[in-house]
Amino acid sequence: MGSINHQSGPVDLSHHINSKSKARHPSPLKEIIKFMGYDGMVSLAGGLPHPALFPLEQVKFNCLTPSASLSNDRKVGSAAADPLSLTIGRGSFPGDLELTQFLQYGSGSGNRQLIEICKELTERVHAPPSKYDCLLHIGNTNAWAKVVGLLCEDNDMVIVEEFTYPSAQALWIPLGIKAVPVSADAEGIQSKKLRDLLVNWDARSRGAKRPTVLYLVSVGSNPTGVTISSQRRREIYDLCVEFDLIIVEDDPYYFLQYPGYEPSSENAVFQPKATEEFLKTLIPSFLSMDTQGRVIRLDSFSKTVFPGLRMGYFITNPVFIERLLRASEVETQDPAGLSEAFVLSLLSRWGIDGYLTWLQNLQFQYQTRRNWLLDAFYANFTVLPAANSPLPKAQGLVACVENKADGGLRPVFSFGDPEAGMFVWSKFYFQDVERFSEIEKESLEDPEQAFADELWKAWATELVLLTPGSYYHPWQGADKVSTKARGAEPRTAHFRFSFATPSEEQIHTGVKRMRKVIAKYWG
Amino acid sequence: MGSINHQSGPVDLSHHINSKSKARHPSPLKEIIKFMGYDGMVSLAGGLPHPALFPLEQVKFNCLTPSASLSNDRKVGSAAADPLSLTIGRGSFPGDLELTQFLQYGSGSGNRQLIEICKELTERVHAPPSKYDCLLHIGNTNAWAKVVGLLCEDNDMVIVEEFTYPSAQALWIPLGIKAVPVSADAEGIQSKKLRDLLVNWDARSRGAKRPTVLYLVSVGSNPTGVTISSQRRREIYDLCVEFDLIIVEDDPYYFLQYPGYEPSSENAVFQPKATEEFLKTLIPSFLSMDTQGRVIRLDSFSKTVFPGLRMGYFITNPVFIERLLRASEVETQDPAGLSEAFVLSLLSRWGIDGYLTWLQNLQFQYQTRRNWLLDAFYANFTVLPAANSPLPKAQGLVACVENKADGGLRPVFSFGDPEAGMFVWSKFYFQDVERFSEIEKESLEDPEQAFADELWKAWATELVLLTPGSYYHPWQGADKVSTKARGAEPRTAHFRFSFATPSEEQIHTGVKRMRKVIAKYWG
């Protein structure tokens, strides 16, 4: 693998566009717009309301600077002793930007200046090797819905990671689409397994043609926290070329990549690197290696600015962009004008380098929070590398408790140090748990899930919440839901920890409470 | 008609929900949210980013007051000598509303306080007689897409007005859905024709089951400007009960209803009525007579506040609302936070009565613009009531030019005085036009369309743009596109005039230019 001599220029991928997307025509109304620009033209053809009758004249935003102090106990608003003020206005209330354009209907593709900034950022960060375009969208949730509307027919199958983002599949389950998971290790989805799947695909027994869409949250995956390695990325990309797959790179956590955890890095202070240094620390995106134009990248401002913007952008080949624009025109139109105005104004003032400094600032904050959670694991459990643990075949690190009977170590859960994103993914081992053995004797359909539910409720009773791993099982159909039917490892179940919002104290309290319940079951 | 004794309480309409919408399940993640409210709970389960890491601290909006002077030559911004200032902030930057909630992810249904205001407004304006709920949406374009996603199966048929809004059908054409138009008169879609259609529906010859969805822009229809009369509404509603149809009431122009045109009402000044008086002047909505819960009303802030908000709300029965919410969760999420914040803040400050005063203000402004256009018609043509014109069978008013040969009057186009909305719909008569007779001899498939195109280009060359009527033809399939195949009146074609944005001078210039071209062809 990696040695395939594939065509390195752009290829015609229009056969991936599904029948419904192909059937979309440009709005005829847009044709008239060409004529509207003529000097002296009187248009009695427009359908827009009159902008003088919009009741908003000016907007002022008080913002943070890119390297604002976001110290860990920062109270909201307290860092803004020296706020950055952005003003957008019209008429007798002028500002840095003209406001009316953001109040009126747009063309469907979003503000041109903002798209130019998105392109500039794309060039700086990804430098895509094939021709691409950008299109604003209203958040990755809708962007993914539009991609499904572009590429998938009803009852298709989509390749996903072994554990996947539930909202992504909630969108396509009603279409009869099913997931085909490919197992992953610490470097992400396994290219050898992916190749086996594609080579051996039997449309008859599967009840669907070989999948043509690979959906990945490839950096700091939700829920696993895994980032696909560079080497693995190249292998996966080559497979996608060989088997004509489109890669959907849903990448909200790209800028939240961290160096590996080191205990007790207390009192660390944010010190931004030079932009180019920062960019070198980031793993190459699939887009950056996309010589053929077969990546659709979903970028979002939700994690980097704020989610309420409901705004992000597609980056992909111009043929797909044109079809996505047709869908935007009739399904959603432009992102909200105030969101566009705010981001354009903010990024214009900060500059691309300022924005990349802000992203380093965010990265540092979330890295600190990642450290808090792992600190709490080390404080409450005996944490060993898997190879040295009672579970030498496990991956990553294993959290153990002392066995009261023999003083030895009982493994409770294994986890990986997440080098990106907001989550730690854990695999719990039930084989030493007496209560689990009892449940196993009840001949339930899914004893693992039954015990996981009991454990979750016991934690909730002690006032600590985790997210059940079952939420992230790819949907393979109603007959593949139980631990056994999914072919998952017996006597295990997963839980997701989020370190994004709790304080350091809350994290320590939460893990301590968790430990108390664990002591009862594993002790 | 109108005398049917139908069940006047709510009825079970869940059989209207299509298979895909039925297959949507609530997100399991939402289940956890219940536990999050427990006192002292530590949540390591959330997936949200940290709000202290959002770079926006405060927003200030400078707005107009509800009865701001919006004089016809008003320059944007000039009326705001005494602006209303709204502030939304957090932390050390407080405001009238707390900002963080609008920056973070929402639940899918939109801000609770804003929904309450939408409900209050609904009670005041429509007082729906059956149980309903409201759900925020991201504009009527997407709202209609969600309704199609709720009610329609692929290859269904949808009943529409004789001329219909093109973006609405552009959405469903790729789904194989076709329109079934019902002809209309000055009171809107004809209930007798609708009854005939439903009674005589032959699924085999039509290739589709009897339609169950009636899509209407029932006030100031785009493009026809027609408002369905009260009597007609009752008849249509009764038919929908009898034949089990859902009425989709797409109603962006509801508050832009005008008294009939009277020439030269110059120097009129806006004088708001008491709110209850104003409300009495508005035609009852379908929602207001919906005893069974079979109306889905799409309300929008695009025409009443500004389109860039990308925000409006559904009003319909709770069963449909719940399904629409499931779709919102996975397809779009909440409207943009800054849009929600602005509208909540504005409506809280203005109050419902203030908002209704603002709507009267808008109504007056657009009414004045409607008058400008009709003034220009009267100034450039001889305008006669149809009965007294050379086209006694036409509807509404007929604009004529003098025949140079005999000094008599030649009819050019008929039009209706639009008592709502932003458009005047015109029907042009080609029978007296020599150039059209030449084209007719060329045995083209659609000589009417060919001449309409020529006329449109001649106008564009003289620097005036109208919208071709062909944009509003319901899509009945590729075999029903030409004038003849559609069964339209021979030797006629339609054009739409918009009076929303041009100035009085532009309107007069535009109509004069139009007249010049008409003189050439009809003179």
Side-chain angles (χ1 to χ4, degrees):
Chain A
M1 263 183 291
S3 61
I4 297 158
N5 274 321
H6 58 67
Q7 189 184 335
S8 75
V11 297
D12 182 356
L13 297 166
S14 57
H15 57 281
H16 282 280
I17 298 170
N18 71 21
S19 53
K20 286 175 184 170
S21 179
K22 278 202 180 100
R24 286 193 196 288
H25 297 290
S27 162
L29 289 164
K30 311 269 165 188
E31 285 298 294
I32 297 187
I33 293 171
K34 284 189 260 174
F35 287 88
M36 290 190 179
Y38 284 29
D39 258 6
M41 182 65 85
V42 168
S43 175
L44 305 174
L48 308 182
H50 200 294
L53 307 179
F54 301 155
L56 180 61
E57 303 284 45
Q58 192 185 44
V59 190
K60 282 186 191 176
F61 296 106
N62 275 325
C63 304
L64 300 183
T65 56
S67 47
S69 163
L70 301 170
S71 67
N72 300 326
D73 54 357
R74 168 186 178 243
K75 293 232 183 327
V76 165
S78 65
D82 181 24
L84 196 66
S85 179
L86 308 172
T87 306
I88 302 165
R90 56 188 193 146
S92 52
F93 288 95
D96 306 328
L97 289 172
E98 200 284 325
L99 179 61
T100 304
Q101 61 184 319
F102 300 103
L103 306 184
Q104 190 53 282
Y105 283 104
S107 66
S109 64
N111 179 281
R112 285 308 323 169
Q113 277 178 279
L114 187 50
I115 290 173
E116 287 308 312
I117 289 183
C118 294
K119 281 185 179 169
E120 200 182 327
L121 187 63
T122 301
E123 275 305 310
R124 286 284 294 276
V125 178
H126 306 288
S130 64
K131 204 176 169 198
Y132 67 94
D133 212 336
C134 292
L135 176 69
L136 295 191
H137 61 62
I138 61 163
N140 280 11
T141 297
N142 185 259
W144 168 239
K146 290 223 179 85
V147 168
V148 171
L150 175 76
L151 300 177
C152 298
E153 303 283 0
D154 288 1
N155 306 311
D156 269 1
M157 289 194 170
V158 172
I159 305 176
V160 300
E161 294 166 88
E162 191 175 355
F163 301 100
T164 193
Y165 179 53
S167 290
Q169 58 181 8
L171 184 276
W172 45 249
I173 289 171
L175 309 178
I177 294 175
K178 286 181 187 152
V180 189
V182 175
S183 54
D185 57 21
E187 291 186 68
I189 185 171
Q190 292 177 279
S191 40
K192 193 185 164 322
K193 297 272 170 85
L194 177 59
R195 166 171 270 281
D196 290 348
L197 177 86
L198 293 166
V199 168
N200 299 315
W201 190 266
D202 176 22
R204 194 173 306 177
S205 69
R206 291 280 194 166
K209 71 171 171 54
R210 197 172 68 202
T212 55
V213 175
L214 172 60
Y215 172 79
L216 294 172
V217 180
S218 65
V219 173
S221 170
N222 183 358
T224 69
V226 167
T227 299
I228 303 177
S229 72
S230 295
Q231 171 63 18
R232 195 62 66 77
R233 283 168 188 257
R234 301 223 167 262
E235 293 166 5
I236 293 168
Y237 187 79
D238 285 345
L239 283 172
C240 290
V241 168
E242 188 179 351
F243 292 92
D244 191 20
L245 264 66
I246 302 299
I247 305 175
V248 184
E249 181 170 45
D250 181 0
D251 209 355
Y253 310 108
Y254 186 74
F255 293 104
L256 304 181
Q257 298 181 36
Y258 324 121
Y261 167 75
E262 287 176 34
S264 300
S265 47
E266 263 178 54
N267 303 322
V269 173
F270 169 55
Q271 287 184 316
K273 297 183 176 65
T275 308
E276 297 310 319
E277 289 304 303
F278 169 59
L279 290 176
K280 276 183 204 152
T281 66
L282 302 175
I283 201 139
S285 65
F286 280 103
L287 183 69
S288 75
M289 55 185 69
D290 183 21
T291 51
Q292 296 199 329
R294 57 175 68 251
V295 172
I296 302 179
R297 188 175 161 83
L298 312 183
D299 255 301
S300 169
F301 293 111
S302 289
K303 305 300 191 294
T304 61
V305 183
F306 59 84
L309 287 172
R310 305 284 75 228
M311 194 168 77
Y313 51 105
F314 295 102
I315 315 170
T316 189
N317 70 67
V319 174
F320 287 175
I321 287 286
E322 188 272 344
R323 290 287 93 187
L324 292 165
L325 172 58
R326 293 288 90 79
S328 299
E329 285 167 0
V330 297
E331 287 178 6
T332 54
Q333 304 196 15
D334 288 38
L338 292 171
S339 296
E340 292 192 320
F342 173 68
V343 174
L344 175 56
S345 165
L346 185 76
L347 296 189
S348 299
R349 184 73 74 85
W350 278 2
I352 298 281
D353 283 291
Y355 182 53
L356 290 165
T357 300
W358 170 254
L359 294 171
Q360 290 188 66
N361 199 344
L362 276 193
Q363 180 202 54
F364 176 79
Q365 301 303 327
Y366 283 108
Q367 179 188 331
T368 303
R369 290 166 183 278
R370 186 270 320 260
N371 292 349
W372 293 345
L373 180 60
L374 298 201
D375 287 348
F377 284 177
Y378 278 88
N380 284 280
F381 299 94
T382 304
V383 177
L384 300 169
N388 309 335
S389 82
L391 295 170
K393 287 182 183 166
Q395 285 185 9
L397 300 157
V398 178
C400 305
V401 289
E402 199 173 298
N403 185 340
K404 281 177 189 157
D406 57 14
L409 287 176
R410 276 191 173 184
V412 181
F413 65 94
S414 62
F415 64 96
D417 171 14
E419 299 188 358
M422 302 182 169
F423 310 108
V424 170
W425 186 236
S426 65
K427 183 176 187 176
F428 277 69
Y429 298 88
F430 299 160
Q431 74 274 19
D432 294 330
V433 177
E434 202 173 313
R435 172 68 189 134
F436 177 68
S437 306
E438 285 170 32
I439 290 174
E440 265 189 322
K441 285 176 197 137
E442 292 171 22
S443 42
L444 300 171
E445 197 195 336
D446 195 347
E448 286 84 355
Q449 192 55 46
F451 181 62
D453 289 349
E454 181 174 323
L455 192 56
W456 190 88
K457 280 185 195 118
W459 283 327
T461 306
E462 288 294 328
L463 297 179
V464 56
L465 294 179
L466 299 191
T467 313
S470 58
Y471 290 8
Y472 307 95
H473 294 161
W475 174 253
Q476 303 176 72
D479 58 333
K480 288 191 180 166
V481 170
S482 72
T483 305
K484 195 172 173 184
R486 287 185 296 110
E489 189 179 334
R491 303 182 171 188
T492 68
H494 292 81
F495 291 93
R496 190 194 74 170
F497 294 79
S498 167
F499 53 80
T501 48
S503 67
E504 184 169 15
E505 193 192 332
Q506 286 172 323
I507 285 179
H508 278 270
T509 305
V511 174
K512 201 176 285 175
R513 289 172 181 172
M514 224 188 81
R515 167 75 168 79
K516 186 175 156 193
V517 172
I518 284 170
K520 201 183 101 192
Y521 284 107
W522 273 261
Chain B
M1 261 182 292
S3 61
I4 298 158
N5 275 321
H6 58 67
Q7 190 185 334
S8 76
V11 297
D12 183 356
L13 297 165
S14 57
H15 57 281
H16 282 280
I17 298 170
N18 72 21
S19 53
K20 285 176 184 169
S21 179
K22 280 204 181 96
R24 288 193 195 287
H25 297 291
S27 163
L29 289 164
K30 311 268 165 186
E31 285 298 295
I32 297 186
I33 293 170
K34 285 188 260 174
F35 288 88
M36 289 190 178
Y38 284 30
D39 258 6
M41 183 64 85
V42 169
S43 175
L44 305 173
L48 308 182
H50 200 295
L53 308 179
F54 301 155
L56 179 61
E57 304 285 45
Q58 192 185 45
V59 190
K60 283 185 192 176
F61 297 105
N62 275 324
C63 303
L64 300 184
T65 56
S67 47
S69 163
L70 301 170
S71 66
N72 299 328
D73 53 356
R74 170 188 177 241
K75 292 232 183 327
V76 164
S78 64
D82 180 24
L84 197 66
S85 180
L86 308 172
T87 306
I88 301 166
R90 55 189 195 144
S92 52
F93 287 95
D96 307 326
L97 289 171
E98 202 284 325
L99 179 61
T100 304
Q101 61 183 318
F102 300 103
L103 306 183
Q104 189 55 281
Y105 283 104
S107 66
S109 65
N111 179 281
R112 283 312 319 170
Q113 278 177 278
L114 187 50
I115 290 173
E116 287 309 312
I117 289 182
C118 294
K119 281 185 179 168
E120 202 182 327
L121 187 62
T122 301
E123 275 305 309
R124 287 284 294 276
V125 178
H126 307 286
S130 65
K131 206 177 168 200
Y132 67 94
D133 213 337
C134 292
L135 176 70
L136 294 191
H137 62 61
I138 62 162
N140 281 12
T141 298
N142 185 259
W144 169 240
K146 290 221 179 83
V147 168
V148 171
L150 174 76
L151 300 176
C152 299
E153 303 282 0
D154 290 0
N155 306 310
D156 269 0
M157 289 194 171
V158 172
I159 304 177
V160 300
E161 294 165 88
E162 190 175 355
F163 301 99
T164 193
Y165 178 52
S167 291
Q169 59 181 8
L171 185 275
W172 44 250
I173 290 171
L175 310 177
I177 294 176
K178 286 181 188 153
V180 189
V182 175
S183 54
D185 57 22
E187 290 187 68
I189 186 170
Q190 293 177 279
S191 38
K192 193 185 166 320
K193 296 272 170 83
L194 177 59
R195 167 173 268 281
D196 290 347
L197 178 85
L198 294 166
V199 168
N200 300 315
W201 190 267
D202 176 24
R204 193 174 304 177
S205 70
R206 291 280 194 167
K209 70 171 172 53
R210 197 174 67 203
T212 56
V213 175
L214 172 60
Y215 172 79
L216 294 173
V217 179
S218 65
V219 173
S221 170
N222 183 356
T224 67
V226 167
T227 298
I228 303 178
S229 70
S230 295
Q231 170 65 16
R232 195 63 66 74
R233 283 167 188 256
R234 301 226 167 261
E235 293 165 5
I236 293 168
Y237 186 78
D238 285 345
L239 283 172
C240 290
V241 169
E242 186 178 352
F243 292 92
D244 191 22
L245 264 68
I246 302 298
I247 304 175
V248 184
E249 181 171 46
D250 182 0
D251 209 356
Y253 309 108
Y254 186 73
F255 293 104
L256 304 181
Q257 298 181 35
Y258 323 121
Y261 167 74
E262 288 175 35
S264 299
S265 47
E266 262 179 55
N267 303 321
V269 173
F270 169 56
Q271 287 184 316
K273 295 182 178 64
T275 308
E276 298 311 318
E277 289 304 303
F278 169 59
L279 291 176
K280 277 182 204 154
T281 67
L282 303 175
I283 201 140
S285 65
F286 280 104
L287 182 69
S288 75
M289 55 185 70
D290 183 22
T291 51
Q292 296 199 328
R294 58 176 68 250
V295 171
I296 303 179
R297 190 176 159 84
L298 312 182
D299 255 300
S300 168
F301 293 111
S302 289
K303 305 299 192 295
T304 61
V305 183
F306 59 84
L309 287 171
R310 304 283 77 227
M311 193 166 78
Y313 51 106
F314 294 102
I315 314 169
T316 189
N317 70 68
V319 174
F320 287 174
I321 287 285
E322 188 271 344
R323 291 288 94 187
L324 292 165
L325 172 58
R326 292 289 89 79
S328 299
E329 285 167 1
V330 298
E331 286 179 5
T332 55
Q333 302 195 17
D334 289 38
L338 293 171
S339 297
E340 292 192 319
F342 173 67
V343 174
L344 176 55
S345 166
L346 185 76
L347 297 189
S348 300
R349 184 73 75 83
W350 278 1
I352 298 281
D353 283 292
Y355 182 52
L356 290 166
T357 301
W358 169 254
L359 294 172
Q360 291 189 64
N361 200 343
L362 276 191
Q363 180 201 52
F364 176 78
Q365 300 303 326
Y366 283 109
Q367 178 188 332
T368 304
R369 289 165 185 277
R370 186 269 320 258
N371 292 350
W372 292 346
L373 180 60
L374 298 202
D375 286 349
F377 285 177
Y378 279 88
N380 284 279
F381 299 94
T382 303
V383 178
L384 301 169
N388 308 335
S389 81
L391 295 171
K393 287 183 185 168
Q395 286 185 9
L397 299 159
V398 178
C400 306
V401 290
E402 198 173 300
N403 184 339
K404 281 178 192 158
D406 59 14
L409 288 175
R410 276 191 173 184
V412 181
F413 65 94
S414 63
F415 64 96
D417 172 13
E419 298 187 359
M422 301 182 169
F423 309 109
V424 170
W425 185 236
S426 65
K427 183 176 186 176
F428 277 69
Y429 298 88
F430 299 161
Q431 74 273 20
D432 293 331
V433 177
E434 201 175 314
R435 173 69 189 135
F436 177 68
S437 305
E438 285 171 31
I439 290 173
E440 264 189 322
K441 286 176 198 140
E442 291 171 23
S443 42
L444 300 172
E445 196 195 337
D446 195 347
E448 285 85 357
Q449 192 56 48
F451 181 62
D453 289 348
E454 181 174 322
L455 192 56
W456 191 88
K457 278 184 197 122
W459 283 328
T461 305
E462 287 294 327
L463 298 178
V464 57
L465 294 180
L466 299 192
T467 313
S470 58
Y471 290 9
Y472 307 95
H473 294 161
W475 175 251
Q476 302 178 70
D479 58 333
K480 287 189 181 166
V481 170
S482 71
T483 304
K484 194 172 174 184
R486 287 184 296 111
E489 189 181 333
R491 303 184 170 187
T492 68
H494 291 82
F495 291 92
R496 190 194 74 172
F497 294 79
S498 166
F499 53 80
T501 49
S503 67
E504 185 170 13
E505 192 192 334
Q506 285 171 324
I507 284 179
H508 277 270
T509 305
V511 174
K512 200 176 284 175
R513 288 173 183 172
M514 225 189 81
R515 167 75 169 78
K516 185 175 157 193
V517 171
I518 284 169
K520 200 182 102 194
Y521 283 107
W522 272 261

